[in-house]
Amino acid sequence: QVQLVESGGGLVQAGGSLRLSCEASVNIFTINGMGWYRQAPGKQRELVATITSGGTINYADSVKSRFTISRNNAENTVYLQMNSLKPEDTAVYYCYAFKITMKKYDYWGQGTQVTVSS
């Protein structure tokens, strides 16, 4: 079982920055991939960015060049640096992790609110 705890959300003006953190309860070397999804009111949850244990990174087109995902293996933590924030980035951001053993297991954090004012 993997527990994920997010932090770093909040209220920021358009053009500002925030950094989200997601700490895993296990050594992230044992996790195949981690990342961030977000869900705005009335919309489906969507991928923001992911990073695999091998270092492969994927971003949604809407956040490329503005957001950066990274990991600190020693701290079992994945970060999402968000720059040049826009009101449309407002959403609940969820940390996500998956492990593949006999089958694929998905894990989610509780979510952290990010609000960008215009």
Side-chain angles (χ1 to χ4, degrees):
Q1 187 75 356
V2 178
Q3 293 182 328
L4 304 170
V5 178
E6 302 109 330
S7 61
L11 173 64
V12 65
Q13 288 188 332
S17 299
L18 282 174
R19 188 176 80 156
L20 304 183
S21 301
C22 174
E23 183 174 1
S25 61
V26 299
N27 189 322
I28 62 174
F29 280 115
T30 68
I31 298 175
N32 295 94
M34 295 183 70
W36 295 90
Y37 283 69
R38 67 187 181 187
Q39 187 166 19
K43 294 188 177 181
Q44 289 189 333
R45 191 172 296 189
E46 63 176 5
L47 179 147
V48 177
T50 58
I51 182 168
T52 69
S53 57
T56 300
I57 291 174
N58 182 44
Y59 293 103
D61 288 342
S62 59
V63 307
K64 281 180 181 176
S65 78
R66 300 189 299 122
F67 291 10
T68 303
I69 189 170
S70 62
R71 56 193 289 164
N72 184 321
N73 295 330
E75 296 182 353
N76 296 324
T77 301
V78 170
Y79 300 97
L80 184 68
Q81 178 67 43
M82 305 185 293
N83 298 327
S84 302
L85 282 161
K86 304 175 181 179
E88 51 263 44
D89 295 316
T90 295
V92 177
Y93 284 69
Y94 295 91
C95 183
Y96 165 73
F98 71 91
K99 295 182 67 173
I100 301 175
T101 55
M102 298 295 292
K103 63 177 184 177
K104 184 172 180 281
Y105 296 88
D106 296 321
Y107 304 94
W108 294 93
Q110 79 284 358
T112 185
Q113 177 70 45
V114 171
T115 303
V116 184
S117 63
S118 57

